[in-house]
Amino acid sequence: MDNSGATQQSSGPPQGESNHVPLSPISFLERAVRVHPDRLAVVDGDVTLSYRGFYQRSRQLAGALQAMGITPGNVVSTLGMNSRAMLEAHYGVPMAGGVLNAINARLDGASIAFIMAHAESRVLIFDRSLRSVVVKALAQLESSPPLLIEVEDASDDGSPWDRPAPHAYESLLESATPCSPRLPDDECDCIALNYTSGTTGNPKGVIYSHRGAYLNALSNTLTLKMDDRTVYLWTLPMFHCNGWTHTWAVTAAGGTHVCMRRVEPARVLNMIHARGITHMAAAPIIMTMLLDRPEASTPLPRPVLLATGGAPPNSATIARMSALGFDVLHLYGMTETYGPSLVCQFQPEWSSMTHEARARLQIRQGVGTFAIERVALKDPVTHEDVPADGQSLGHLMLRGNTIMQGYIKNPDATREAMGRGWLDTGDIAVMHEDGYIEIRDRAKDIIISGGESISSIEIEEIMMSHPAIREVAVIARPHDFWGETPHAFVVSASGTDTPNEADLLNWCREHMAHFKVPRHITFQTSLPRTSTGKLQKYALREHQKTQMATA
């Protein structure tokens, strides 16, 4: 019998309900409640939820949002720390057909107002402890304020509230009719809107699809080797790329989410022992904080996989963490790639190396994750691949199923980032002979401080509004604790007194989020420029090195 054509596509309908279901991470929670309804799903302080309870509360949130008028495509913003409410929003909002916009809780009121206005947020779910910044943001949104839902947390900043009382989160859920969740009609519909840190002006809204979130979450379960024994400690903010999609990945694995609203090193180590933590993710600064604790001299009772990203950790830190019992996995990603897109995949032969030798390999960014199909280093002009020799520099470019849909309301920026068939990350790197990527510089001068991305351009623009400043240039300065901090080089305006450094820093704190405020200010008579007037930041970096060496 000739079966040569048996594998060819039939002439019938290409797909239907039997063989095509839209991909969405909503289905992970629905599966979890079917397979293990009584398993511990969420720990949030003294409150615990089974998967049955987690699912029920997410459905009640969805019902409450629909009763408030949320329809498919409407944006629901959140402003909060890691909690069960933030986890529930990752399911309840898309269950209601809405788009989740998790806002960085460290931003100032003006930035929050810009994001909500640009996203056209219909509802804001926020922690009571963040009332003061919410009040500042709402003051700039009088023409189109969102409906408000306040999550009752343990702290209250005491801010006066001069507007109608917001809905109380728990009361709202108790009175809501649970929603019957349904998958999106199109898996490419938007599930989340995440804003960049504004590297070239205002923040850009990155569109995540249900399909991309589903695939990245599954990629993470494989990359981090999650399963139903996973106990995941939330030291990574859920507002960062939806917690690198771990908000959905841990549920897909059937593991347990252990919430931590604020990262306190002593409490992290205590939770590892008390809760049997198996996985966590954090910026390199968290590793430094842990190693500074006296408790860190005691090896862990069991290995803990720690995924880290942001400013590359140094090899000495990784070596010390490995000796303590952490399996450090170095990741690279960006908002435009749903978080992790490269992983320094551990090779078996590395096991026989010393901690120090192994750490020198682990600081590399690595290879593509499961959902990234191609990783390349290309000349940004010719788009030709550069040699994998560990020396030739090229722009890191990515292609795959977990690349953003684009920037909302910004087709020009979308074309610039991915108009040639690749996402150009803007990062400059080398590729080693083994195919592992190592980033050498950032084309857009981003400063990674404590895991937060800070735009040097944004700081420069704000500082230039000071009447005593004529010119300013900001670069990253290495910092043992934060990884990097902003360093401003300032030229005073003619006819004015040179501002006092302390006064200038206080002024900065009044006009930008505190984590963006420069830690160092150097006063100059001029800034180095080319003959065509282009600022030479590399010369400032050299000056900085000399300055630090003689300090």
Side-chain angles (χ1 to χ4, degrees), residues 128-161:
R128 177 178 292 167
S129 60
L130 297 172
R131 261 196 182 193
S132 61
V133 73
V134 170
V135 169
K136 293 175 183 176
L138 293 175
Q140 302 182 47
L141 292 170
E142 292 298 339
S143 61
S144 55
L147 300 174
L148 302 174
I149 302 174
E150 186 177 65
V151 178
E152 306 89 334
D153 57 13
S155 59
D156 187 339
D157 65 10
S159 297
W161 193 258

Side-chain angles (χ1 to χ4, degrees), residues 121-247:
S121 300
R122 298 285 299 275
V123 173
L124 173 65
I125 303 172
F126 68 95
D127 283 359
R128 177 178 292 167
S129 60
L130 297 172
R131 261 196 182 193
S132 61
V133 73
V134 170
V135 169
K136 293 175 183 176
L138 293 175
Q140 302 182 47
L141 292 170
E142 292 298 339
S143 61
S144 55
L147 300 174
L148 302 174
I149 302 174
E150 186 177 65
V151 178
E152 306 89 334
D153 57 13
S155 59
D156 187 339
D157 65 10
S159 297
W161 193 258
D162 59 355
R163 57 188 67 237
H167 295 281
Y169 184 83
E170 291 298 330
S171 298
L172 192 67
L173 261 61
E174 288 175 8
S175 61
T177 301
C179 167
S180 297
R182 68 175 182 83
L183 296 175
D185 294 329
D186 186 339
E187 63 186 17
C188 291
D189 286 348
C190 181
I191 188 174
L193 194 58
N194 290 293
Y195 278 77
T196 66
S197 54
T199 62
T200 54
N202 285 324
K204 296 189 286 287
V206 176
I207 301 170
Y208 286 8
S209 69
H210 284 257
R211 168 184 165 81
Y214 179 101
L215 292 172
N216 203 63
L218 289 185
S219 178
N220 278 322
T221 62
L222 289 168
T223 299
L224 273 63
K225 298 181 174 60
M226 293 180 180
D227 58 25
D228 56 10
R229 294 163 295 184
T230 292
V231 183
Y232 183 94
L233 181 61
W234 273 103
T235 47
L236 173 74
M238 294 182 193
F239 55 69
H240 275 316
C241 308
N242 303 111
W244 294 353
T245 71
H246 294 171
T247 45

